[in-house]
Every structure is written in structure tokens, then in C-alpha cells.
Amino acid sequence: MAKTTEAADASTGAAVAEEVPRPKGLGPLGWARWGWRQLTTMRTALVLLFLVALGAVPGSVLPQRGQAPEKVAEYFEDHATLAPWFDRLSLFDVFAAPWFAAIYILLFVSLAGCVIPRAFQHYRAMRARPPAAPRNLSRLPQSASYETGASPEEVLEEARKVLRGRRFRVDRGDGSVASEKGYLGETGNLVFHLALLALLFALGLGNVFGYRGNVLVTEGKSFANALAQYDEFEPGSRFDTDRLPPFSLSLDDFAAEYQTRGPKRGQAIDYRARLRFRESPQARERRYDLRVNHPLKVGGAKVYLINHGYAPVFTVRDAKGNIAFQDAVPFLPMEQRTYTSEGVIKAPDAEPEQLAFYAILWPTAVASQDGKQIESAFPGPLRPVVTISSFKGDIGLDQGVPQSVYRLEGIGKTLHPVKGGQKLLEPGETLTLPGDAGSITFDGLREWASLSVNHDPGRIPALIAAILAVAGVAASFMVRRRRVWVRAGAGDGGRTVVEVGGLTLGNPTPEFEEIVTALRGATGAAEPDTTGEADGSASGPETKE
């Protein structure tokens, strides 16, 4: 019988064990909560902030298409193998890259999820009553005790007045007074993080509703703020290009000053672009000297001077003697030390064959040390000289395929070098092509300025956020949380025993001793026998007066 019962119990236990449900995983909702908790930690926010700073490094080291497209093209020519890989990683458009936007958005969400709940908690803590006095005040880092002839009620009332006079939040309880202040430090910390959040939002606002464009303007020419006038234009995702403000400007003169003597000879001292501009076609024309870091504010946008170079003026005549081309041609610097530059001249209207030229400009031409070559000794145009290489054939512009204005296409295929069509020209000199195929004249030299037009509606909010962030950091370092408790009770001989305790977040301050001194003076007590040291040590055994 016993064996049967034991067998039944065993079978019942097995059945019960089989019926108990196995523990399940977190599930989709649980994993989502876990991911949100990880994302909104301050540790994750700091990691993302570090990644943003790290991701911005290529944007500072490598040329960016939004600011200097000509330098990006030059980088591709100088690093034909490495540049395509960098381009695949969007390192020439770092701040518009998907990976940078992902880090940016994650940082924004992380800060919002971390800081906003903390702000509500801080607000509730500021409105809450100060914590009640601990049972043993003598164990606090700062403490003092003394006896006085005043009654406990009088002592506590005086303590309330003294602490309120020092801007403490005071709460009087049963036989004690609790006080607290210094929330401004935590408030500053939150203001800093909220300002950082606002700064990210302002930057995003500028990217969404703003625009940025680059344009190259040669001396004597004008620019109107229209989409077709830009060499490169990047509107925000919500910006309407039909609402571009109708301002215009003209470049009258560009001047660059260089060191002429000493070890720094050739180093730039100052750049100045003299402009005439109108806010609208009906507005009065005004003048402005555009300099580096001194942008022109017009039409809600800022116009920055970001680069400059030379634009030689050429006149091209075809085989019939007709002018096929006459204009200034912007050349791109090959190097920044002496501004040796290169460019191409295209004359698609030449007859019977189209003409094209490749030229190199030396702003201050001198013979090399071996006397076999020519080089530039100074970036200023002291003795401008160009060397011309001539081509004729089909330039390829009639095919409808866009071409770079700084490159000749189809050399050796549709465009062929002209034998004997090379020459070194000074201003006013002409190269006549063999067989009366045409000619090219170097008429003179102008300069060009590269301008960046930037409309950023988030600029002012970003500035305000940055100021608040600095103020918040200063407050968080300068202000510390302090708590002071005062307890009064009846002692021997009808006197009142007063205990004072203090707690400071960080190193203790002399304020506690000042409070004790003020309390003793208000209650008519003598100097204390024992006071806790300000360095954080607890007070010793109390000695009665």
C-alpha cells in the first residue's frame, strides 16, 4: 500500500512538474525597454558625444564639397586610389553623411531620454520639504553642540530666521529645524545638458530649413541669389528654393596682401573683396569690404569669403579671324605657396574647327635654379606669365554631356594637340597657331573670389544655447548642495542643549561655522566647547558648559 502511495505521489509530482510553465525570454517589449534604458544612460550619451567629435575629425582634415568643391577635385587628382574609398564613406560630405546623421539623432534621443526625466525629478526635489534631521547629528562631517539659557522654542525660531537669512529652504519639525540650499548647482548641470540638447536641435533646424551655396565671382562680374547662379547649392530638406531672397552683389576688386620680406615672405596678411550689393532689385546699392571672418549679412543670409585665385583674360580668334571667345577664365591653384594655377580655355564657336587650350599661370615668373624651367617666386602678380598648349577638333560640348570647366575631355580622341602650338605669353602677347588655324591673346589678369552663402535659421538659437551651456557649467562647478539641521532639547539645570549638524556635497565650506556663530549670538550662548572640523572629521565627545 505504501509503495502504491509513493508511486502515486511520484507520478503526481512529475505531472505537476510538467505542468509548470517554463520561463520565457524578454520578448519584443522587454527588449525594447532594455534598449531604451541602455540608450538613455549618461554613459551612452557620452559615448555618442565622443563619436560625434570623432566623426567630425575627417570634416576638419579633408576638404568638404559644401565648402571647397575645387579642393575635393584636386584631392581626387592627387590621391586617385584613396579618394574614391573616402568618397564611398562620405568623408568629403561628413556632415551630410547618413552615418553622421545616425550618430547625431541617437545622441539627441539619448540626451532627451536622459535629461528630461532628470529635470522633472529635480523640479520635484526643489519643491519637496528638506529631509528630516538625522538621529545623531554628531556623526555628520560637520557638527557642533552647545548649551544656552534660551528655551528650545526660542532656539528653533532663531535658527529658522538665521537660515532663512542665508537663503536656505527651511522646514521646522518636532524639536528640530531642517534646511537645505545649493540646488543651483544641480540646476546648472541640467541647464548645461538641456542647452546641449537645444544646441543639437538648433543645428538640425538649420540643416532642415536653411541652405548653403558656393559661387565663384570674378572681378567685374555680378551674382544674383538665384538657384541657376550657384556653382553648388545644398538646400535643407524643408527649404523652398523658390523663396530665395532676391539680393545681388558685384565684385569690384579683390586684393590680397603678402609678406614681402623676411623668412615669411609670401605669407598672406590680409584678403579683401570690395563688393557692391542690393537687398532687392529696388533697394539702394551699398558697398562692403568682405574679409575673412567678417561676412556680409544680406537677405537673411551670411556671405563668407572662403577662397581666391586668378582669372587670366584671353581673346581667341578662329581661322577666319572672328572672335570665338573673349573673357576671364578662372584658374585653380596647383599649390598654395606661390599660387601657380592651371586652367583651360574652350572656344566651341571657332570655325572651321573648335579650339581649346590648356594653360599654366605663374603669378611671379622666374627661371628655376638650373635655368631650364620656369617657376613662380611669389604668390602676388608681380610678373604674370602663362604657358599655352593648343588643341583643335571636337571639344564635345555639342553632345549635350556636361563637362567640367577645369578639364579638357577627349584629348587624343576627338581633340588633338596642335603641333607648334605651345608658347609662353606675357600680358598683351599673342600665340598664332600654325597654318592660320587661329590665335589666342593673353590680355591681362584678374582675380576671383569664392563666396559661400549660408542661411541658417538655427544660428541665433544655437548661440543662446551655447551661452546657457557655459553658464550652466559655471553654476554646476561653483555651487554645491548644503544641508544644515538644528535640534534643541531640555538639558540639565533648566538649560537647553543645541545640536547643529551640516552636510556639504564635496568639500565642506566655512559657512557652517558662520551659521553656528550666528546661532550662538542670537541665543546668547558662550563659545562652543566642541565643533566638528571643516575637513570632514566628526566632532569629539561633547563637554557641557
Side-chain angles (χ1 to χ4, degrees):
M1 187 67 179
K3 293 181 179 180
T4 305
T5 303
E6 291 176 0
D9 292 341
S11 61
T12 303
V16 172
E18 291 178 357
E19 293 176 359
V20 175
R22 295 183 178 181
K24 297 181 179 180
L26 291 177
L29 185 59
W31 280 110
R33 290 175 178 173
W34 179 85
W36 175 255
R37 285 195 296 267
Q38 298 301 314
L39 179 61
T40 55
T41 60
M42 188 57 68
R43 179 181 66 254
T44 302
L46 290 174
V47 171
L48 291 171
L49 188 61
F50 172 77
L51 291 177
V52 168
L54 186 64
V57 171
S60 303
V61 175
L62 297 174
Q64 301 294 294
R65 284 195 175 91
Q67 287 76 35
E70 68 279 0
K71 292 186 177 181
V72 175
E74 181 180 347
Y75 194 92
F76 268 85
E77 292 180 0
D78 297 339
H79 305 83
T81 303
L82 192 59
W85 286 99
F86 282 173
D87 199 24
R88 292 187 184 97
L89 297 174
S90 301
L91 297 185
F92 297 116
D93 299 280
V94 168
F95 304 106
W99 56 266
F100 190 85
I103 299 174
Y104 182 89
I105 293 172
L106 284 175
L107 176 60
F108 186 89
V109 174
S110 178
L111 282 175
C114 178
V115 176
I116 293 178
R118 279 183 57 197
F120 285 109
Q121 294 173 5
H122 178 63
Y123 176 75
R124 288 194 294 268
M126 290 178 60
R127 296 181 59 86
R129 298 172 59 182
R135 180 175 300 179
N136 193 342
L137 294 179
S138 64
R139 293 184 178 178
L140 294 176
Q142 293 175 298
S143 63
S145 64
Y146 62 91
E147 292 185 0
T148 180
S151 67
E153 290 296 322
E154 292 174 339
V155 170
L156 295 179
E157 181 62 24
E158 290 298 331
R160 189 184 67 82
K161 292 180 181 179
V162 169
L163 292 171
R164 278 190 177 276
R166 290 179 172 269
R167 298 190 299 276
F168 278 81
R169 294 191 305 117
V170 180
D171 180 50
R172 182 170 174 179
D174 186 14
S176 65
V177 170
S179 63
E180 185 178 31
K181 78 172 182 178
Y183 272 96
L184 185 61
E186 177 65 15
T187 301
N189 184 276
L190 285 171
V191 167
F192 166 74
H193 288 91
L194 289 172
L196 186 60
L197 193 64
L199 181 62
L200 292 174
F201 180 79
L203 294 176
L205 182 70
N207 290 331
V208 172
F209 295 100
Y211 67 87
R212 177 181 299 169
N214 292 338
V215 61
L216 186 149
V217 184
T218 306
E219 288 177 330
K221 295 191 176 182
S222 301
F223 162 75
N225 191 34
L227 187 60
Q229 294 276 307
Y230 282 97
D231 298 324
E232 185 167 348
F233 188 79
E234 294 182 3
S237 58
R238 296 293 182 180
F239 180 77
D240 184 4
T241 55
D242 293 334
R243 301 182 60 184
L244 284 169
F247 68 84
S248 60
L249 56 87
S250 301
L251 177 62
D252 290 338
D253 178 65
F254 182 89
E257 297 181 17
Y258 303 96
Q259 290 277 5
T260 57
R261 296 179 181 178
K264 295 184 179 180
R265 183 176 184 272
Q267 181 174 326
I269 301 175
D270 186 33
Y271 299 115
R272 183 180 69 254
R274 293 179 178 175
L275 304 177
R276 289 178 291 112
F277 70 96
R278 297 178 186 268
E279 291 274 356
S280 65
Q282 298 79 25
R284 180 176 60 88
E285 186 176 70
R286 292 183 287 174
R287 296 182 179 273
Y288 187 81
D289 284 351
L290 185 66
R291 286 184 168 90
V292 178
N293 297 327
H294 292 80
L296 167 66
K297 300 178 182 179
V298 57
K302 285 189 174 183
V303 181
Y304 295 89
L305 176 63
I306 60 174
N307 205 350
H308 78 101
Y310 292 106
V313 182
F314 296 97
T315 298
V316 178
R317 295 180 181 273
D318 60 16
K320 298 180 180 180
N322 299 322
I323 296 178
F325 177 88
Q326 188 176 38
D327 201 355
V329 181
F331 277 29
L332 295 181
M334 301 171 65
E335 47 87 20
Q336 300 294 322
R337 187 175 61 87
T338 63
Y339 264 82
T340 301
S341 307
E342 63 178 348
V344 298
I345 305 98
K346 301 179 182 181
D349 296 331
E351 295 180 354
E353 288 186 287
Q354 296 178 345
L355 299 176
F357 305 88
Y358 171 76
I360 297 178
L361 166 71
W362 285 275
T364 302
V366 295
S368 60
Q369 293 183 352
D370 58 9
K372 297 180 179 180
Q373 296 180 347
I374 189 171
E375 60 184 23
S376 182
F378 192 74
L382 302 181
R383 185 184 174 235
V385 169
V386 295
T387 56
I388 298 291
S389 298
S390 307
F391 301 85
K392 64 180 180 179
D394 184 5
I395 299 176
L397 293 176
D398 297 335
Q399 309 297 327
V401 179
Q403 291 186 8
S404 171
V405 296
Y406 305 107
R407 185 190 300 270
L408 288 177
E409 305 289 346
I411 295 179
K413 298 179 181 179
T414 60
L415 199 61
H416 305 283
V418 176
K419 187 175 181 180
Q422 294 80 31
K423 188 177 180 181
L424 188 148
L425 300 178
E426 294 189 18
E429 294 184 343
T430 300
L431 165 63
T432 301
L433 301 182
D436 293 329
S439 65
I440 180 170
T441 302
F442 179 24
D443 297 321
L445 189 65
R446 298 180 188 174
E447 296 191 60
W448 56 261
S450 182
L451 308 179
S452 176
V453 183
N454 189 355
H455 171 62
D456 186 1
R459 185 180 67 254
I460 299 300
L463 176 62
I464 296 173
I467 294 174
L468 289 176
V470 173
V473 167
S476 66
F477 281 109
M478 296 174 61
V479 181
R480 287 172 288 181
R481 184 91 62 86
R482 286 97 77 197
R483 291 174 178 172
V484 175
W485 296 275
V486 180
R487 179 181 287 123
D492 297 337
R495 297 178 66 80
T496 300
V497 178
V498 182
E499 295 179 288
V500 186
L503 184 63
T504 302
L505 184 64
N507 294 327
T509 64
E511 185 179 31
F512 178 79
E513 295 179 1
E514 297 172 0
I515 292 173
V516 173
T517 302
L519 287 175
R520 293 181 61 82
T523 56
E527 290 298 321
D529 296 319
T530 306
T531 302
E533 298 295 334
D535 61 359
S537 61
S539 61
E542 179 181 338
T543 302
K544 304 294 183 182
E545 289 183 345

